[in-house]
Amino acid sequence: MTETVQTGIYGLDEMVGGGFPKNRIILILGGPGAGKTILASQFLYKGIAEFNENAIFVSLDEGKKHFYSEMMNFGWDFQKAEEEGKFGFIDATRLSRVAMLKEKMMSEESHSLRGKQLPIDKLVEQLQEKIKEIDAKRVALDTLASLFYRFLDPIERRTAGVDLIEALSDLNTTTLVTTELEYLSLERKLMDEEFLVHGVIMMQTLFSGGSTVRAMQVEKMRGVSVNSNLVPYTIDRNGLEVYPAMSLFRDK
Ligand SMILES: Nc1ncnc2c1ncn2[C@@H]1O[C@H](COP(=O)(O)OP(=O)(O)OP(=O)(O)O)[C@@H](O)[C@H]1O
Ligand SMILES: [Mg+2]
């Protein structure tokens, strides 16, 4: 039996047979505004607050101040957790797409493959050190999509993705990696990363008759028995909640 880690997110544990597989990588896929950042942060915060598992957030999209203030909207005081030595924030926004646009891809670094890979290797080293320092058990990286803007060549991009996921698998932490989907359809193309990770959860917004509903599906979770129905979830001031009993496509 695979050992699991309770997420602490209402309804989600039930979807994945009790929790995420311990010390494995789960990919969170979704479009803009789907709630990827909230899900990842909630997993970390619940870990700290309810399960005595310290956590690290690796941010490629937003800086620490912005993150802390956004999360206070849900009552999650990451600043306090950091002061208590239970949380670490790694600001990797310099590697993001915006930073790349600023560099205008002119520098030496953005041209050679070694130059592009180096900052990612350094990021992994920094993460390893922080994990040791605070004895972290949970990690979230938000978002992989931001890293890929460094790699215009699909083969380079693939190699970088594989390398990063392999490095993350060696961390002995339960790790969520968020990424974006360019488009969603029932027959979407699988991404390379999906074959490398232990679990894949997809978050999307469905439009029907003028209204919208947020829906989540566990597409894969090795070693645990899952509810693979497309089920609704909501986001409110308490964060994210999932409703496993309310499958959106019923057989009967
Ligand atoms: N208090 C709240 N009540 C209801 N909905 C909220 C609340 N706070 C945030 N949201 C919703 O959460 C979503 C944003 O969540 P989040 O930032 O996690 O998305 P994301 O998938 O990370 O998006 P992005 O691709 O922009 O990074 C928005 O759709 C917003 O409407
Ligand atoms: Mg986000």
Side-chain angles (χ1 to χ4, degrees):
M1 268 287 285
T2 310
E3 205 181 331
T4 55
V5 169
Q6 277 175 272
T7 63
I9 299 174
Y10 181 89
L12 185 55
D13 292 328
E14 199 183 313
M15 292 288 289
V16 294
F20 289 152
K22 190 178 163 78
N23 292 349
R24 302 285 189 245
I25 302 181
I26 317 297
L27 194 67
I28 310 295
L29 285 173
K36 304 179 295 293
T37 303
I38 295 171
L39 188 145
S41 326
Q42 194 168 351
F43 172 69
L44 300 190
Y45 198 80
K46 294 286 170 179
I48 295 166
E50 293 176 16
F51 303 108
N52 203 20
E53 292 203 333
N54 293 350
I56 296 171
F57 190 86
V58 182
S59 181
L60 283 122
D61 275 355
E62 49 188 331
K64 183 155 131 176
K65 263 197 177 158
H66 185 249
F67 176 79
Y68 283 1
S69 85
E70 288 278 296
M71 292 305 134
M72 278 308 282
N73 290 334
F74 303 104
W76 305 332
D77 194 342
F78 279 103
Q79 168 124 36
K80 181 159 167 265
E82 184 184 19
E83 287 159 10
E84 292 171 349
K86 297 174 179 172
F87 176 71
F89 184 95
I90 296 183
D91 185 335
T93 52
R94 66 183 191 287
L95 300 183
S96 74
R97 78 191 77 171
V98 181
M100 282 299 286
L101 286 172
K102 283 190 193 148
E103 285 172 31
K104 293 205 180 72
M105 314 190 85
M106 292 290 283
S107 67
E108 167 89 14
E109 185 196 276
S110 42
H111 280 297
S112 75
L113 179 58
R114 172 89 192 115
K116 280 181 275 194
Q117 191 60 52
L118 195 64
I120 300 179
D121 295 346
K122 280 198 187 138
L123 178 64
V124 172
E125 267 172 40
Q126 197 186 347
L127 178 56
Q128 284 166 332
E129 277 167 27
K130 195 76 194 166
I131 290 171
K132 258 198 222 145
E133 186 190 321
I134 67 165
D135 189 26
K137 305 285 188 226
R138 300 185 181 203
V139 167
L141 186 142
D142 185 45
T143 131
L144 196 60
S146 291
L147 265 187
F148 284 151
Y149 283 77
R150 304 186 85 73
F151 303 94
L152 297 178
D153 178 68
I155 296 171
E156 284 186 6
R157 177 190 169 283
R158 185 170 198 276
T159 311
V162 171
D163 284 354
L164 180 62
I165 290 191
E166 277 187 344
L168 295 175
S169 334
D170 290 336
L171 294 176
N172 274 325
T173 54
T174 310
T175 303
L176 301 193
V177 176
T178 69
T179 196
E180 279 165 23
L181 279 179
E182 276 171 30
Y183 62 93
L184 281 167
S185 76
L186 290 174
E187 290 183 59
R188 69 187 183 81
K189 201 170 138 254
L190 286 176
M191 303 193 306
D192 296 328
E193 293 77 30
E194 296 182 46
F195 296 100
L196 299 169
V197 296
H198 273 76
V200 178
I201 293 179
M202 164 123 95
M203 304 168 81
Q204 57 185 310
T205 306
L206 305 174
F207 300 90
S208 156
S211 63
T212 62
V213 58
R214 295 183 189 275
M216 181 182 285
Q217 188 170 25
V218 179
E219 295 201 340
K220 141 175 167 178
M221 201 65 64
R222 277 188 214 144
V224 296
S225 86
V226 299
N227 174 349
S228 58
N229 291 331
L230 185 66
V231 304
Y233 68 94
T234 56
I235 300 175
D236 64 19
R237 49 184 289 275
N238 298 313
L240 203 133
E241 289 190 358
V242 187
Y243 301 93
M246 295 169 63
S247 173
L248 291 164
F249 295 110
R250 275 185 203 285
D251 296 336
K252 296 176 196 101

